[in-house]
Amino acid sequence: MTPEERIDRIRSDHWIAFDRATIVLNRLTSLMEMPQQSRMPGLMVYGSSGIGKTMIAKRMASKYPTQYNAELGITKTP
């Protein structure tokens, strides 16, 4: 890698898997892959600052990107 590429890589976010985060990701993935129902179950993730909640959300957003339908005016996850 060039020095600039190395610097960019160092400055970017990196996923560091740890047991609790993996459990939450697996649960969220199973919820996303459930067949649609009128009352879908959910999951609330809470905890102290700096424990990875935002990184879990970013990881899920990259795995399940949303798509905006301008004609209908809705955002949908495939």
Side-chain angles (χ1 to χ4, degrees):
M1 279 191 253
T2 67
E4 291 80 18
E5 290 172 331
R6 291 174 62 143
I7 290 169
D8 286 344
R9 181 158 175 106
I10 290 168
R11 289 181 176 166
S12 65
D13 287 335
H14 297 282
W15 174 254
I16 300 172
F18 57 98
D19 293 341
R20 296 251 177 165
T22 302
I23 291 168
V24 172
L25 279 173
N26 289 340
R27 179 68 178 136
L28 288 170
T29 299
S30 70
L31 289 172
M32 290 297 292
E33 294 174 357
M34 288 182 98
Q36 291 234 333
Q37 306 169 31
S38 59
R39 299 189 108 196
M40 293 294 293
L43 179 69
M44 181 173 80
V45 179
Y46 67 95
S48 300
S49 180
I51 64 168
K53 298 178 300 291
T54 300
M55 290 301 292
I56 290 171
K58 286 181 178 182
R59 189 137 171 113
M60 288 300 294
S62 69
K63 190 173 181 179
Y64 298 99
T66 58
Q67 298 172 345
Y68 179 69
N69 184 331
E71 187 175 303
L72 297 175
I74 60 171
T75 302
K76 188 175 180 183
T77 304

